[in-house]
Each structure stands twice: as structure tokens, then as C-alpha cells.
């Protein structure tokens, strides 16, 4: 395979995929009463993906960019020859996986805001961050920011939770002006 073709082939395939995906997303037709349609967000992501692929194709063909992928394709895929390789930390890895699984299970019952705040606060702690107040602030601020983006900008409904968690979610929605 010619070198130029091998450099643009992955981006060409992704560009073709983005065209097909956009065509499929064009079939999303929902009456929203003047609000942003659910089709806007997938289409926006697909257009950005297509533009990035087109940019990479042009860059590699016209600017003669000589990017070479390394890592899995390198002669040392496991990084054995690296001097400062990070040690494998299985408790951290499995703690992160368990936290993600717990998030998926808990969010329908405890609601998006509370579950996300806990997730965003605990995840850095599992990763080794030693500042608990900063982790808590990240959790609350991140959860609030995501709730505002999803509910006020993207108009995406989020799990409210059950019982007292539902009341907390509804109070938050009133506070940010969603209801």
C-alpha cells in the first residue's frame, strides 16, 4: 500500500463513517415545540468528527505531515524498555472499576446530581489525590456543572432518584431554573 494512502486511510474510513452516520441522524424527526431537537447533538458530534477527519486528510496530503503511530505498533509494545514505567496498581484499578459499576447501579435510585457528586469526589481519591476538601469541591462543582449543561443547555432529562433523592433532585432543578 502506498505510504500516503496508508496515512490517510483511517481518516478516510472515519470520514465515510461520519457521512453515513449523519445521513442516519438526519432521520431523527421529533416535534420539540421550538426547543432544540434531540437530533442536534448527535449531528454536531458527527459534523465535528467529519471535519477533523477531513482536516487530517488534507494535512497529510498537502502539508506532508509525517506522523507515525507508536505504542502498540512499536517494537516495545509493553514499555519494558522505558526507564520510568509506572507501577501497576491493582487496588487503584479495581477501585475505579468498582466505583464506575456502583455509579451505574446507584444512579437510578439516588439521582444524577448526588450520585455524580459522589463519583466525581471519590474517583480522584481512589486515584491517589490527597486533598479531600478539593475532591469534595470537584464533586459538587462538577456535578452541578454537568446538571446545568444537560438540563438547561442540552435539555436532557436525568435520573431524579427515588424518595428523598427525588426531592433533592427536584429542589436542585428549581434552583437552576429547569422546572
Amino acid at each position: 500500500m502506498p505510504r500516503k494512502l496508508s496515512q490517510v486511510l483511517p481518516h478516510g474510513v472515519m470520514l465515510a463513517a461520519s457521512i453515513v452516520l449523519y445521513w442516519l441522524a438526519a432521520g431523527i424527526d421529533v416535534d420539540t415545540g421550538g426547543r432544540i431537537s434531540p437530533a442536534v447533538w448527535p449531528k454536531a458530534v458527527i459534523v465535528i468528527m467529519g471535519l477533523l477527519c477531513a482536516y487530517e486528510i488534507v494535512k497529510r496530503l498537502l502539508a506532508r505531515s509525517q506522523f507515525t503511530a507508536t505504542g502498540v505498533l512499536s517494537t516495545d509494545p509493553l514499555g519494558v524498555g522505558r526507564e520510568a514505567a509506572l507501577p501497576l496498581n491493582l487496588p487503584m484499578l479495581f477501585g475505579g472499576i468498582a466505583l464506575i459499576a456502583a455509579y451505574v447501579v446507584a444512579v437510578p435510585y439516588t439521582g444524577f446530581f448526588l450520585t455524580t457528586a459522589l463519583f466525581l469526589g471519590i474517583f480522584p481519591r481512589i486515584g491517589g489525590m490527597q486533598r479531600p476538601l478539593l475532591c469534595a469541591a470537584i464533586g459538587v462543582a462538577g456535578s452541578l456543572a454537568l446538571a446545568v449543561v444537560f438540563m438547561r443547555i442540552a435539555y436532557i432529562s436525568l435520573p431524579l432518584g427515588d424518595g428523598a433523592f427525588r426531592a433533592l433532585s427536584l429542589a436542585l432543578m428549581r434552583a437552576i431554573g429547569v422546572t
Side-chain angles (χ1 to χ4, degrees), residues 59-120:
K59 182 176 88 171
R60 289 165 196 268
L61 291 177
L62 297 180
R64 303 197 194 309
S65 172
Q66 296 296 322
F67 173 77
T68 304
T70 58
V72 175
L73 302 176
S74 70
T75 57
D76 187 17
L78 298 178
V80 178
R82 289 188 294 175
E83 291 181 24
L86 294 174
L88 183 62
N89 190 331
L90 291 178
M92 192 181 294
L93 171 67
F94 291 127
I97 292 170
L99 184 62
I100 292 168
Y103 179 87
V104 170
V105 170
V107 76
Y109 304 105
T110 58
F112 177 84
F113 178 74
L114 179 63
T115 313
T116 303
L118 290 171
F119 177 85
L120 292 176

Side-chain angles (χ1 to χ4, degrees), residues 152 169-179:
R152 299 262 313 158
S169 295
L170 292 172
L172 174 70
M173 289 172 61
R174 279 189 297 277
I176 63 174
V178 173
T179 57

